[in-house]
Amino acid sequence: MDTCKNKQAPPLREMNIVIVGHVDHGKSTVIGRLLADTNSLPEGKLEAVRELCRRTSKPFEYAFLLDALKDERSQGITIDTARSFFKSEKRKYIIIDAPGHIEFLKNMITGASRADAALLVIDAKEGIQENSRRHGYMLSMLGIKQVAVLVNKLDLINEVKRQAVFEKIVKEYGAFLEQVGLVPTCYIPISATQGINIAKNTNILPWYKGPGVLEALDAFEEVLPPTDLSFRMWVQDVYKFTAQNDDRRIIAGTVSCGCLKVGDELIFLPSGKKTRVKSIEAFNEPTQTFACAGKATGFCMTEQIYVKRGELISIVGDDSPLIGNRFKASVFWLGKEKLSKDKAYKLKIGSAQVGCVLEKVDGVLNASTLEGIEQDFVDRHEVASCVFRLDRSVAFDLAGKFQDSVRFVIVDGYEISGGGIITQTVDDDLGKNLVRRGIKWVKSSISAQAREDFYKQKAKLIVLTGSSATDKKTIARSLEERLLKAGKIAYYLGISNLLYGVDADIKSDDSINTPEERQEHIRRLGEVANIMLDAGNILIVTASELDSNELDTLRQIVSNENVLCAWVGSQAAHLRDFDLCLEGGTEKIVEELFLTV
């Protein structure tokens, strides 16, 4: 029976393979046998493990070649991901042995996220288990399309029944994987312990005519670096040198996809700042003129703009990333406590880290049964479609072509408790407008740094909000006066100045604005503030009872990172949305604000 659908691929240099499956279905044994049968073990390793088993009165297992941790040997399970290296006549391999026990599912996802292809092991005697389904779903969710399913331990099945057992698993598991959009390249009947169909085909299962495991690995197609995609690179760090009159500011990171070359015009998101590549830097290497996918690199800019870790870089004119503070995502939750709406989390995507909350649960899916559940939280080991709201905007892409700007993890306290893939934007009109503005913005010939040096100040937006009964205007005017006396260029802009001027066309006759009108007021306030800060000013703004979404909108629109949001009065209900909570008399509050400029 030939159940393999993949064709032979040309020889390639290296490939990452993850091996997954339910606990004790034989993943580590498969890899141990591959290492032994391809003569890839260090000299004396096999004999040393055999001697260890003899001295401890344990039967020898090929899994012991991988399970280096003491707890793993004593319990007979893989706890952490182990990396092994071997090569066939056609290719070098890095094999990632991921744990199968449900308690270590986080480790399995970590291992699988780095893989180009996968081996999924099912015990022929135990059959398809919950984690067999869950791991299959995770491979599909992580975008791993090349999967060989290994039906292991056929030596424990009566010889007469082996083919029937194998074909039943192929039929049932194939039907499940079809539901999650995953079609395996092949199904292989094996016995890892006896080496059946591992490094070479045997005649022990004469009814099977397909490839062995090693042959199936060699038939996987190499996942090439995505150099043909639009350029993406996360800012990992910014290096600035001062010794020997070296004034370079080097933006450092790893190219996720596409290529970067000298002269390219870049846009940094979410800030929207633009510059050109002056030079590409490399340590102890000849001068570079380009850097492509997978390359850790750095570059200098023609204009020394201020950017920081967490910005996503793309080339102006290419397919641009999205920006926003809300999106829909497919999430797999692993936390000890459920993912709920009443808790703050941290979200990490690329090199960006931002606070987030669960805004909505559209639907929960049991990853092993694929049954839908209606609830407003996500429990451990459940998959869900969720909407998240972030404390500030980030750049991202949607699931499909890109990876590093699509996948994220969620941190609860100090533990990574979940991960997901961004599938859809939510109310992304603002994000689209800001990307368009960043591309079309005509820069002054005077740089922000030149203005800062001339005015001897950093441009800054100070937003004062609080209860409508709070006298924010007096504080704002007093702060403006204090700053002017200190030689600063500051300006107070009351919200009414906009409502009856720039916003006169949308001011309703009623004293209370509609939500749509208020949202547009905030958007226009942000755009005016962005221009004022681009001119190098310190702008002071007052507005009553701004909520977290409105503050997020302002932070998203204003390109300058120097935005201070302060609540004036008794402590705000959502203090985490504000940089300061100010109480006391006008003089005390003004002094505290003055010290932040």
Side-chain angles (χ1 to χ4, degrees):
M1 176 181 177
D2 186 353
T3 57
C4 190
K5 304 171 185 177
N6 215 8
K7 294 182 179 180
Q8 186 95 344
L12 299 167
R13 295 197 323 177
E14 189 173 273
M15 179 176 279
N16 292 324
I17 305 290
V18 65
I19 184 165
V20 300
H22 193 70
V23 64
D24 201 32
H25 276 204
K27 302 177 305 299
S28 297
T29 305
V30 169
I31 302 304
R33 191 82 205 205
L34 273 171
L35 293 174
D37 291 357
T38 58
N39 298 316
S40 300
L41 292 169
E43 186 175 352
K45 177 71 172 179
L46 182 60
E47 292 74 15
V49 173
R50 289 187 186 277
E51 175 60 20
L52 176 63
C53 291
R54 187 193 65 77
R55 286 190 285 106
T56 56
S57 301
K58 282 188 174 184
F60 169 78
E61 295 183 23
Y62 282 92
F64 289 167
L65 296 170
L66 296 185
D67 294 339
L69 299 178
K70 182 179 178 181
D71 286 344
E72 295 177 5
R73 283 201 179 124
S74 63
Q75 298 176 35
I77 61 173
T78 301
I79 294 175
D80 205 350
T81 54
R83 285 159 53 94
S84 303
F85 305 85
F86 77 97
K87 61 182 179 180
S88 67
E89 294 180 357
K90 298 182 178 181
R91 182 181 290 153
K92 294 179 181 178
Y93 290 100
I94 300 174
I95 304 292
I96 306 165
D97 183 18
H101 197 280
I102 195 168
E103 294 302 317
F104 309 119
L105 201 56
K106 185 191 308 182
N107 304 48
M108 174 261 160
I109 295 173
T110 301
S113 67
R114 299 191 298 267
D116 302 318
L119 299 176
L120 194 153
V121 183
I122 296 176
D123 185 327
K125 191 172 183 181
E126 287 193 7
I128 300 165
Q129 299 295 308
E130 182 179 13
N131 266 0
S132 306
R133 297 186 180 92
R134 184 175 281 115
H135 288 180
Y137 187 93
M138 286 308 308
L139 293 176
S140 174
M141 185 176 172
L142 290 169
I144 298 175
K145 301 300 183 184
Q146 300 188 101
V147 179
V149 179
L150 314 183
V151 181
N152 190 27
K153 302 186 182 181
L154 276 172
D155 56 299
L156 302 181
I157 304 296
N158 184 284
E159 186 175 351
V160 177
K161 299 180 180 179
R162 287 176 184 173
Q163 183 175 359
V165 169
F166 173 71
E167 291 180 349
K168 180 183 178 183
I169 289 174
V170 170
K171 182 179 179 180
E172 292 181 0
Y173 198 58
F176 171 81
L177 293 181
E178 186 177 356
Q179 295 180 68
V180 300
L182 184 61
V183 180
T185 55
C186 54
Y187 291 83
I188 307 174
I190 67 168
S191 168
T193 300
Q194 295 187 4
I196 299 174
N197 289 340
I198 299 295
K200 58 183 179 180
N201 292 20
T202 65
N203 295 321
I204 297 177
L205 305 174
W207 44 267
Y208 175 73
K209 304 301 181 182
V213 176
L214 188 60
E215 186 180 346
L217 288 173
D218 283 342
F220 283 145
E221 296 180 0
E222 181 189 18
V223 179
L224 297 172
T227 53
D228 56 338
L229 296 178
S230 296
F231 176 73
R232 296 287 188 273
M233 174 176 155
W234 289 97
V235 176
Q236 295 286 350
D237 210 340
V238 181
Y239 302 125
K240 190 171 182 180
F241 302 92
T242 56
Q244 300 177 345
N245 296 319
D246 188 347
D247 61 352
R248 288 177 301 165
R249 178 177 288 174
I250 298 176
I251 308 299
T254 298
V255 179
S256 298
C257 53
C259 288
L260 176 73
K261 62 182 184 298
V262 173
D264 282 339
E265 185 179 13
L266 305 179
I267 184 167
F268 294 76
L269 297 174
S271 71
K273 296 178 180 180
K274 292 191 294 184
T275 188
R276 287 188 180 274
V277 180
K278 181 179 180 181
S279 63
I280 293 178
E281 305 291 330
F283 182 71
N284 280 345
E285 291 184 20
T287 301
Q288 308 288 314
T289 58
F290 65 91
C292 289
K295 175 73 172 178
T297 189
F299 63 87
C300 291
M301 305 170 286
T302 55
E303 182 181 350
Q304 297 303 312
I305 60 174
Y306 177 83
V307 294
K308 57 185 178 180
R309 177 182 171 88
E311 297 256 23
L312 182 59
I313 313 170
S314 65
I315 295 175
V316 174
D318 279 359
D319 182 18
S320 177
L322 303 169
I323 59 173
N325 68 331
R326 297 175 71 221
F327 56 68
K328 182 180 287 188
S330 294
V331 176
F332 194 90
W333 191 246
L334 302 167
K336 296 176 182 177
E337 298 181 7
K338 63 186 179 183
L339 174 64
S340 59
K341 296 181 181 180
D342 57 353
K343 190 170 184 179
Y345 301 93
K346 286 184 181 178
L347 182 143
K348 294 183 178 181
I349 177 169
S351 60
Q353 179 174 310
V354 60
C356 75
V357 293
L358 173 65
E359 187 173 282
K360 183 182 179 183
V361 178
D362 284 334
V364 178
L365 186 72
N366 185 305
S368 59
T369 65
L370 298 185
E371 294 178 353
I373 308 168
E374 291 188 10
Q375 59 193 40
D376 62 354
F377 61 89
V378 186
D379 223 333
R380 195 175 196 188
H381 304 138
E382 289 180 339
V383 177
S385 176
C386 302
V387 176
F388 289 93
R389 178 170 58 81
L390 315 183
D391 286 351
R392 58 179 172 80
S393 295
V394 296
F396 57 87
D397 288 294
L398 301 183
K401 297 186 294 184
F402 302 97
Q403 291 189 6
D404 291 349
S405 51
V406 167
R407 299 176 181 178
F408 64 89
V409 296
I410 300 173
V411 180
D412 182 5
Y414 297 98
E415 289 189 354
I416 294 177
S417 299
I421 296 176
I422 302 173
T423 58
Q424 185 178 329
T425 59
V426 179
D427 298 332
D428 191 49
D429 288 342
L430 177 61
K432 290 178 181 177
N433 289 337
L434 291 179
V435 171
R436 190 181 303 114
R437 184 193 72 182
I439 294 172
K440 299 294 185 180
W441 187 278
V442 180
K443 288 191 174 183
S444 167
S445 59
I446 303 170
S447 69
Q449 185 63 51
R451 293 183 192 276
E452 183 179 313
D453 293 342
F454 184 81
Y455 294 142
K456 295 180 174 56
Q457 67 179 39
K458 286 185 177 292
K460 191 164 193 173
L461 172 62
I462 301 174
V463 181
L464 302 180
T465 187
S467 168
S468 57
T470 306
D471 187 8
K472 298 175 288 295
K473 294 179 182 178
T474 298
I475 295 170
R477 290 193 183 102
S478 298
L479 177 60
E480 178 188 33
E481 184 178 353
R482 175 75 184 274
L483 289 169
L484 287 172
K485 287 181 179 179
K488 305 291 185 182
I489 299 174
Y491 184 76
Y492 162 56
L493 178 67
I495 193 67
S496 296
N497 300 33
L498 288 173
L499 296 181
Y500 298 97
V502 173
D503 294 351
D505 60 317
I506 58 169
K507 182 73 175 73
S508 65
D509 294 334
D510 301 325
S511 58
I512 300 177
N513 299 120
T514 65
E516 292 76 16
E517 286 176 335
R518 183 174 172 97
Q519 182 179 3
E520 180 60 13
H521 290 318
I522 298 301
R523 189 194 71 80
R524 295 190 186 187
L525 170 61
E527 292 291 357
V528 170
N530 187 59
I531 293 172
M532 295 287 282
L533 267 66
D534 190 59
N537 296 306
I538 297 171
L539 182 65
I540 307 161
V541 170
T542 56
S544 293
E545 298 179 350
L546 292 178
D547 62 25
S548 57
N549 288 330
E550 292 167 339
L551 290 173
D552 287 338
T553 298
L554 285 176
R555 289 184 174 114
Q556 183 175 352
I557 293 173
V558 177
S559 298
N560 191 301
E561 64 279 353
N562 292 321
V563 179
L564 175 72
C565 297
W567 179 275
V568 180
S570 56
Q571 203 171 75
H574 301 287
L575 185 58
R576 70 179 183 84
D577 296 319
F578 301 92
D579 301 300
L580 292 173
C581 186
L582 305 171
E583 292 186 78
T586 298
E587 187 175 338
K588 176 180 179 294
I589 293 175
V590 168
E591 179 65 23
E592 190 167 350
L593 287 169
F594 179 78
L595 293 174
T596 67
V597 177

